[in-house]
Amino acid sequence: MKTGPLVGVFVLVATLAGTMQSAQADHRRDDDDGRVEHYRDGPCRVKEITDRGYYRKVIRCPDGRGKSWRRGEWHRDYRDGPCRVRIDASREVFDKEKVCRSRDRYDD
């Protein structure tokens, strides 16, 4: 058997595996099931942090290119059931934080 076709198949498989690996987002886990993801959405960089009862999403768009939120600087606080939601937005940064209080926690 000639080695040329075997080497070609190996190179093809290695290339596809490298492409699939680079297409996946960067995932990191903490000891307490927390998760941090970094990825890009067009020209913007996105960071998502999830943990039990906590969610945060930060979108950074250089010079405001590619942003999808409304213009100007603004801030919004509201409640979504047992959760508190805070949104801060400016020209380049959109920051959404959601904190949910679990039923088994008691405030001191």
Side-chain angles (χ1 to χ4, degrees):
M1 184 168 144
K2 295 185 179 180
T3 60
L6 185 61
V7 171
V9 169
F10 177 74
V11 170
L12 180 66
V13 170
T15 303
L16 290 175
T19 304
M20 295 300 290
Q21 182 67 23
S22 65
Q24 295 176 348
D26 179 23
H27 303 290
R28 294 188 193 132
R29 286 193 171 268
D30 295 334
D31 293 339
D32 57 350
D33 294 332
R35 184 177 190 143
V36 178
E37 295 184 34
H38 298 273
Y39 59 93
R40 294 187 68 99
D41 184 13
C44 303
R45 294 176 188 249
V46 181
K47 179 179 181 181
E48 286 187 78
I49 303 168
T50 53
D51 203 356
R52 286 189 195 147
Y54 182 79
Y55 172 78
R56 185 173 183 189
K57 183 175 187 176
V58 180
I59 305 172
R60 296 186 187 279
C61 298
D63 297 327
R65 291 176 298 152
K67 71 177 188 165
S68 59
W69 55 93
R70 64 182 164 141
R71 299 173 72 189
E73 290 190 21
W74 51 277
H75 173 81
R76 185 171 174 205
D77 284 328
Y78 62 95
R79 296 196 69 78
D80 183 16
C83 304
R84 180 186 55 84
V85 181
R86 166 177 267 160
I87 299 175
D88 290 313
S90 66
R91 182 172 181 236
E92 296 183 1
V93 179
F94 178 85
D95 186 0
K96 180 176 182 179
E97 181 178 41
K98 185 173 186 177
V99 178
C100 298
R101 192 174 35 160
S102 66
R103 292 182 181 180
D104 57 346
R105 279 191 199 163
Y106 297 103
D107 294 329
D108 292 328

